Amino acid sequence: MDKDVKITIETIQKQQGESNRMKHAYSGAYFKKGDHSYVLYEESVENTEAVIKSRLKFSESFLEVVKKGALSSTMYFELGKEYLTEYGTPFGVVPLHIETRFYEMKQTADDRIFIEIRYNLSNEGGRIADCHMKIVVEQVNIM
């Protein structure tokens, strides 16, 4: 079943003793295909007309975040696993290692979905940040 949804993504990145918190909300679409759930939404790039098309693919055991457009990346989160990705920016490609330390996905009786992830970001030079991400997907009531 396809649904119009509101997606709220909150991320806290800790690096070198500093903590940076970001919280964004988007409108998008939710659907289920087989054992996986999908959320599609678009992000605007600040001070430009550029758009990033984003897709979340998830289940109880993993989350995949794919972004295409002004910024391109695929980030994969699965508990206890490390994933190598290339984070494409307008200034070039940055190789990143993602190590998932905690992953939990819950769906409530009213169909709200909560995903929580704790992960480390690193590159060949060492650890970049300790990250904590919370995603909430909830149906938009259209009258």
Side-chain angles (χ1 to χ4, degrees), residues 40-58:
L40 306 175
Y41 61 98
E42 291 186 354
E43 300 177 50
S44 302
V45 178
E46 198 172 317
N47 300 321
T48 72
E49 293 182 22
V51 172
I52 301 167
K53 293 183 182 262
S54 299
R55 182 192 80 198
L56 307 179
K57 176 183 176 182
F58 58 93

Side-chain angles (χ1 to χ4, degrees), residues 36-39 41 54-59 61-67 73-78 83 103 115 117 135:
H36 302 121
S37 295
Y38 295 82
V39 174
Y41 61 98
S54 299
R55 182 192 80 198
L56 307 179
K57 176 183 176 182
F58 58 93
S59 72
S61 62
F62 78 92
L63 167 69
E64 178 184 56
V65 180
V66 176
K67 297 179 181 280
S73 72
T74 299
M75 299 176 79
Y76 192 84
F77 304 93
E78 187 173 0
Y83 181 73
Y103 178 86
I115 299 173
I117 308 159
I135 300 170

Side-chain angles (χ1 to χ4, degrees), residues 7-139:
I7 304 102
T8 306
I9 301 174
E10 180 179 6
T11 305
I12 299 170
Q13 291 185 339
K14 294 180 182 177
Q15 46 194 141
Q16 300 173 346
E18 299 281 323
S19 186
N20 183 21
R21 181 178 180 260
M22 297 167 282
K23 187 172 185 176
H24 301 282
Y26 308 99
S27 296
Y30 167 88
F31 64 96
K32 196 160 174 98
K33 187 175 180 182
D35 293 337
H36 302 121
S37 295
Y38 295 82
V39 174
L40 306 175
Y41 61 98
E42 291 186 354
E43 300 177 50
S44 302
V45 178
E46 198 172 317
N47 300 321
T48 72
E49 293 182 22
V51 172
I52 301 167
K53 293 183 182 262
S54 299
R55 182 192 80 198
L56 307 179
K57 176 183 176 182
F58 58 93
S59 72
E60 290 183 1
S61 62
F62 78 92
L63 167 69
E64 178 184 56
V65 180
V66 176
K67 297 179 181 280
K68 294 185 179 190
L71 179 135
S72 297
S73 72
T74 299
M75 299 176 79
Y76 192 84
F77 304 93
E78 187 173 0
L79 184 60
K81 295 201 175 174
E82 190 171 316
Y83 181 73
L84 176 62
T85 188
E86 292 183 339
Y87 196 78
T89 72
F91 308 104
V93 176
V94 179
L96 292 176
H97 296 269
I98 302 167
E99 179 188 5
T100 305
R101 296 181 287 116
F102 177 85
Y103 178 86
E104 183 175 64
M105 190 277 289
K106 294 184 211 173
Q107 188 162 0
T108 63
D110 62 354
D111 281 339
R112 288 191 298 161
I113 297 168
F114 296 91
I115 299 173
E116 183 174 0
I117 308 159
R118 293 181 186 271
Y119 60 99
N120 298 329
L121 279 181
S122 60
N123 62 14
E124 292 178 13
R127 183 171 291 174
I128 297 170
D130 293 325
C131 304
H132 183 194
M133 183 177 1
K134 293 180 182 179
I135 300 170
V136 178
V137 179
E138 49 196 331
Q139 185 169 356

